[in-house]
Amino acid sequence: MWIDTHCHLDAPEFGDGHALALQARALAAQRGVERCVLPAVAVWNFETVRALAHRTGDAYALGIHPLYVDRASDEDIDRLDQALSDHRDDPRLVAVGEIGLDFFVPALCEEPLRSRQQHFYREQLRLARRHGLPVILHVRRSADLLLQQLRRIEVSGGIAHAFNGSEAQAQAFIARGFALGFGGAMTFDTARQLRRLAGTLPLDALVLETDAPDIPPHWLYVNAARRSAGEAQGVNTPAELPRIGEVLAELRGLPPQVVAQATSANALRVLPRLTGVSHA
Ligand SMILES: [Zn+2]
């Protein structure tokens, strides 16, 4: 059994009425992906991810993504609070996410968005604490600042998604009850530091994710030269998760079943409500 702890099945890349998402989810199930976690990115897609998770037999998280804070209002924090209360008894609601900080996109590094991201991050950590939920963190050139706030506003752990930091940063997240999300980026030979961490960090700190439709693994990646020659970028879906898991198994010198079992157990530990989610 595999768990995809992060996929945006509601993304427009998956077509009108989620047609491609449903197909991809069925293929993923055939390949042994038992559960997926669908994080929201903004108030306008809360209902979509919730309905989709119910339809596919998966789990979801509610939150405001750092790349969407420029279009979010302060009232959206209250709307998130309300949604977390409204769905308190929905076993498929497993975390607050996707929240965090992005200091890779240049516009987000400048004021006022730099402070605005921090504001949304802090307020959403407070909501996660108040509602007793773990968090799914977007970490891009922001690990130290994310950790600084986690020391001030303690939450019950969660996942540092698409982790790509240093070993010290990894250990700091682990010490705060977080698992680190590894996905398509680790499949590239050029990602030396990331592959080294994937191979050496404690196995009980790792979870797998596709971040579909983003972060395609190397076997789907089409570089700029090939794209300009007319080749289409392959679409990343949860059906790729087992093959990504096999890459992790290879990096650690373990059989894939051992990695599947361990990473799934880790996902259930850091997202405890996921235990009650059975695939339809
Ligand atoms: Zn995401």
Side-chain angles (χ1 to χ4, degrees), residues 67-81:
L67 294 182
Y68 290 81
V69 300
D70 57 339
R71 283 150 283 173
S73 69
D74 288 338
E75 292 77 58
D76 286 357
I77 301 285
D78 301 328
R79 293 189 183 102
L80 173 59
D81 190 14

Side-chain angles (χ1 to χ4, degrees), residues 6 8 10 38-47 49 60-84 93 95-102 108 113-128 133-139 142 146 161:
H6 199 111
H8 297 279
D10 64 310
L38 284 50
V41 296
V43 166
W44 52 258
N45 86 334
F46 285 1
E47 267 314 296
V49 296
Y60 65 101
L62 297 178
I64 300 161
H65 190 295
L67 294 182
Y68 290 81
V69 300
D70 57 339
R71 283 150 283 173
S73 69
D74 288 338
E75 292 77 58
D76 286 357
I77 301 285
D78 301 328
R79 293 189 183 102
L80 173 59
D81 190 14
Q82 186 62 49
L84 294 172
L93 171 61
V96 171
E98 176 174 356
I99 68 171
L101 297 170
D102 192 309
L108 295 180
L113 287 178
R114 193 177 177 89
S115 302
R116 192 143 182 84
Q117 285 196 71
Q118 302 252 32
H119 168 72
F120 273 82
Y121 173 51
R122 276 193 304 269
E123 292 304 315
Q124 294 187 96
L125 283 183
R126 290 196 177 100
L127 288 183
L133 287 167
V135 294
I136 296 174
L137 294 181
H138 175 97
V139 194
S142 58
L146 290 169
H161 140 69

Side-chain angles (χ1 to χ4, degrees), residues 53-205:
H54 277 264
R55 191 161 166 195
T56 59
D58 289 312
Y60 65 101
L62 297 178
I64 300 161
H65 190 295
L67 294 182
Y68 290 81
V69 300
D70 57 339
R71 283 150 283 173
S73 69
D74 288 338
E75 292 77 58
D76 286 357
I77 301 285
D78 301 328
R79 293 189 183 102
L80 173 59
D81 190 14
Q82 186 62 49
L84 294 172
S85 297
D86 289 349
H87 304 301
R88 178 187 309 262
D89 298 325
D90 183 353
R92 298 186 189 278
L93 171 61
V94 297
V96 171
E98 176 174 356
I99 68 171
L101 297 170
D102 192 309
F103 294 126
F104 175 74
V105 177
L108 295 180
C109 303
E110 312 282 332
E111 295 301 347
L113 287 178
R114 193 177 177 89
S115 302
R116 192 143 182 84
Q117 285 196 71
Q118 302 252 32
H119 168 72
F120 273 82
Y121 173 51
R122 276 193 304 269
E123 292 304 315
Q124 294 187 96
L125 283 183
R126 290 196 177 100
L127 288 183
R129 185 171 60 188
R130 182 153 9 114
H131 289 271
L133 287 167
V135 294
I136 296 174
L137 294 181
H138 175 97
V139 194
R140 205 152 55 148
R141 300 207 179 150
S142 58
D144 291 336
L145 283 169
L146 290 169
L147 285 159
Q148 194 180 79
Q149 292 302 330
L150 288 172
R151 284 189 279 271
R152 290 176 189 154
I153 307 168
E154 283 193 33
V155 298
S156 59
I159 295 173
H161 140 69
F163 182 76
N164 198 356
S166 68
E167 168 139 28
Q169 288 165 336
Q171 294 296 354
F173 277 114
I174 294 167
R176 306 214 77 82
F178 280 77
L180 308 167
F182 282 84
M186 153 187 81
T187 66
F188 290 84
D189 286 338
T190 47
R192 293 234 181 84
Q193 147 104 339
L194 193 59
R195 287 165 74 88
R196 191 181 56 78
L197 286 178
T200 57
L201 285 170
L203 183 58
D204 68 2

